Structure formats: structure tokens, C-alpha cells
């Protein structure tokens, strides 16, 4: 009886690595990564800024202009709220115009925060406008 | 005698020997194609607006600015806005289609114009379309 058991034990020692559970481990890893992965999808606004070319003064006169002074917003020199600005820009129906007519100028003071700037950018872009940043000319 | 043999149950065996290989191939595939976000560690308080949308565009580069004014291009810190312009220009040198010109721009909401506007201009000068990242209000 004892000898028979010893024979059985010896039969199991074949030197093979048990690979039966490999697929289970692999699929568990896949499921783990699928569950734990977060796909990064950010929320953004798209703003196509034309790379700097100076416009003639006559063309600039007709172009709508947004001024950001600190936390205040001005549209054609009149103070507006963000909702007002959106309504004003929507009334211009920029989306149906040619790219040259869609330009909205954006002027800001040096202390304007990115928060205000971003909101103005978002308003212009969502109404089909193309943003043109107004630069202060050097006095020299 | 023959009829009784036919009645015996046939064992249907699904070949599962290659399942492990397939699974490991899938893991290797995902490991090679996955890209870890380099910007997760940057502390950026994003601006808020009710007009931001979930974007589906593929961006060619990622520019980030932290509250202290540090500029990052694809996760690596750069010295100034000029580096951004050159970087974007180099990436877009062979690009014609508008869909391939999008550059993601993440900037801290509190940053002043003096710091972020040169970077915005640099992206535009380099030929990129700015994808300004924000949060819903």
C-alpha cells in the first residue's frame, strides 16, 4: 500500500510548468486595466487665431471689438455682462460670413486674468467668430 | 451493437490552449499603444465657462501653463514662448489639413495676460489652432 502511493507521487513529477491558469491571469489583467483606465477627454473651446498681420485702420473701424479691463467686459466701448456679450455676438450672425468678416478683435489690459480672457474667447468662438488679438504698438 | 455506440455522448472540447497567448498579445498591444499623461502632476486651476464642449479633435501637441507662469510643451518644461512657437512650427511643418493643427492649451485661470498671451500668440504663429481647455461653469 505504501509502495503504491510512492509510485503515484513519482508519476506526478514530470517537470512541466502548469500553464493552465495563464489565460485566466491574463484576462484578469485585461479586465483590471479596462476597469481602472480613465480615458482623458477634456472639455475645450477651439480658437483659430490668425497669425499676426496688421489690418488697415479702415478695416479695423468696422470690426467688432471686445475690451477686457480687469474683470469688466466692454463691447464696442459699452460695458456688457457675459450673457449680454453672447447676445451681441449672436446678433452679428458671424457664422454665415466670410472669414474676413468673422474677425472679432480682443483687447485686454495687462492685468486681465485668463479666466475672463477664456470666457471672451469662448463667446467669440461659439458664435463663429475668429479672434484677432490687439497688440499695443511700441512707442519707440 | 452499432446503434448503441452512436448514442454515446460526444465530448465537445473548445480549444483553449491559445487563449493565454491571445490575452497576452492583447496586453502587450495595449501596453505599447498606451500613452501616460505627463501633465497629471501639474496643478492647474482651469477657467470656467458654460460654452466648453467635450472635444473629439486629435491634438498634435499639448501646452500647459501653471499658476507660477511655468510653460510646458508636451510635458517638458521650456524657457519661453519662443520655444513653443518653434516646437509647434516643427510639428506642423508637413501638415496641411486643419484637423491636424490643433494644439491643446491648458492654463491656470489666475494667470495674467502678460504671461499667457505670448504663449497663445506663439501657438498661432507656429500655425496651430488653439484648443483652450476649460471646465463647465
Amino acid at each position: 500500500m505504501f509502495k503504491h502511493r510512492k509510485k503515484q507521487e513519482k508519476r506526478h513529477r514530470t517537470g512541466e510548468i502548469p500553464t493552465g491558469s495563464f489565460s485566466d491571469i491574463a484576462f484578469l489583467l485585461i479586465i483590471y486595466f479596462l476597469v481602472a483606465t480613465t480615458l482623458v477627454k477634456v472639455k475645450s473651446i477651439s480658437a483659430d487665431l490668425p497669425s499676426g498681420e496688421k489690418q488697415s485702420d479702415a478695416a479695423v473701424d468696422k470690426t467688432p471689438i471686445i475690451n477686457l479691463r480687469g474683470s469688466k467686459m466692454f463691447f464696442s466701448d459699452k460695458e456688457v455682462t457675459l450673457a449680454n456679450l453672447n447676445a451681441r455676438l449672436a446678433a452679428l450672425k458671424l457664422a454665415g460670413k466670410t472669414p474676413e468678416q468673422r474677425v472679432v478683435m480682443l483687447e485686454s489690459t495687462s492685468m486681465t486674468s485668463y479666466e475672463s480672457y477664456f470666457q471672451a474667447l469662448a463667446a467669440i468662438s461659439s458664435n463663429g467668430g475668429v479672434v484677432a488679438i490687439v497688440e499695443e504698438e511700441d512707442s519707440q | 451493437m452499432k446503434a448503441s455506440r452512436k448514442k454515446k455522448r460526444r465530448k465537445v472540447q473548445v480549444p483553449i490552449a491559445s487563449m493565454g497567448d491571445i490575452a497576452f498579445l492583447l496586453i502587450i498591444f495595449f501596453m505599447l499603444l498606451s500613452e501616460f499623461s505627463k501633465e497629471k502632476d501639474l496643478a492647474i486651476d482651469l477657467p470656467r465657462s458654460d460654452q466648453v464642449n467635450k472635444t473629439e479633435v486629435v491634438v498634435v501637441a499639448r501646452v500647459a501653463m501653471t499658476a507660477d507662469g511655468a510653460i510646458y510643451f508636451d510635458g517638458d518644461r521650456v524657457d519661453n514662448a519662443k520655444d513653443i512657437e518653434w516646437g509647434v512650427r516643427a510639428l506642423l511643418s508637413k501638415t496641411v489639413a486643419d484637423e491636424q493643427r490643433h494644439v491643446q492649451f491648458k492654463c491656470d485661470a489666475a494667470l495674467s495676460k502678460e504671461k499667457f498671451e505670448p504663449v497663445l500668440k506663439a501657438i498661432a504663429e507656429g500655425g496651430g489652432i488653439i484648443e483652450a481647455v476649460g471646465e463647465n461653469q
Side-chain angles (χ1 to χ4, degrees):
Chain A
M1 187 71 183
F2 182 72
K3 273 185 181 177
H4 180 71
R5 198 180 285 174
K6 230 182 182 181
K7 264 186 184 178
Q8 264 188 345
E9 273 177 15
K10 272 188 180 175
R11 220 180 278 164
H12 283 293
R13 289 175 196 168
T14 53
E16 274 181 38
I17 301 162
T19 56
S21 58
F22 257 42
S23 59
D24 304 329
I25 297 162
F27 276 110
L28 266 175
L29 277 169
I30 290 174
I31 292 160
Y32 169 77
F33 283 117
L34 278 170
V35 173
T37 306
T38 47
L39 295 174
V40 181
K41 269 197 174 176
V42 293
K43 290 172 182 175
S44 68
I45 51 149
S46 197
D48 190 3
L49 308 183
S51 53
E53 274 179 35
K54 282 189 179 177
Q55 282 187 304
S56 65
D57 287 346
V60 170
D61 284 345
K62 293 174 190 171
T63 312
I65 185 160
I66 297 169
N67 295 82
L68 302 172
R69 292 172 200 160
S71 58
K72 288 181 179 177
M73 274 185 196
F74 294 83
F75 183 79
S76 299
D77 286 334
K78 283 176 187 168
E79 192 175 344
V80 287
T81 59
L82 189 62
N84 260 338
L85 179 70
N86 270 312
R88 291 282 197 96
L89 288 169
L92 293 173
K93 291 175 183 165
L94 296 166
K97 292 183 177 175
T98 59
E100 291 82 33
Q101 291 171 323
R102 282 165 50 196
V103 173
V104 178
M105 301 183 86
L106 185 59
E107 196 176 31
S108 51
T109 55
S110 59
M111 291 316 290
T112 305
S113 69
Y114 183 63
E115 178 102 47
S116 316
Y117 204 91
F118 181 80
Q119 285 172 346
L121 266 182
I124 297 167
S125 299
S126 65
N127 286 295
V130 176
V131 184
I133 299 171
V134 179
E135 267 183 287
E136 285 172 24
E137 280 185 55
D138 293 330
S139 56
Q140 286 181 334
Chain B
M1 187 69 184
K2 273 184 182 177
S4 65
R5 269 188 188 174
K6 274 184 183 176
K7 275 181 184 176
K8 274 184 180 175
R9 280 185 189 173
R10 284 182 185 172
K11 279 187 178 176
V12 182
Q13 279 188 329
V14 182
I16 53 161
S18 58
M19 288 275 266
D21 305 329
I22 296 163
F24 275 109
L25 269 176
L26 277 169
I27 290 173
I28 292 161
F29 172 78
F30 284 117
M31 277 175 73
L32 290 178
L33 285 192
S34 299
E35 193 183 335
F36 287 95
S37 178
K38 292 175 185 173
E39 288 167 9
K40 282 233 164 174
D41 299 333
L42 299 178
I44 297 173
D45 180 23
L46 293 171
R48 291 169 191 281
S49 169
D50 51 4
Q51 280 156 328
V52 290
N53 299 310
K54 271 189 181 172
T55 182
E56 296 291 330
V57 294
V58 178
V59 291
V60 288
R62 290 176 173 86
V63 178
M65 286 190 84
T66 51
D68 58 353
I71 309 166
Y72 293 84
F73 183 72
D74 275 340
D76 299 317
R77 186 158 180 182
V78 293
D79 295 330
N80 52 43
K82 211 70 193 163
D83 292 336
I84 300 289
E85 188 188 326
W86 290 332
V88 173
R89 207 181 280 269
L91 280 173
L92 302 179
S93 58
K94 289 174 187 171
T95 306
V96 185
D98 272 0
E99 300 87 63
Q100 295 167 330
R101 292 200 296 126
H102 292 271
V103 176
Q104 190 187 78
F105 181 65
K106 261 185 192 178
C107 180
D108 196 279
L111 216 62
S112 67
K113 178 207 166 182
E114 283 172 329
K115 288 186 176 169
F116 70 78
E117 206 178 61
V119 178
L120 277 180
K121 279 180 190 164
I123 297 170
E125 290 289 335
I129 296 173
I130 295 158
E131 281 295 320
V133 181
E135 284 176 350
N136 266 335
Q137 209 157 28

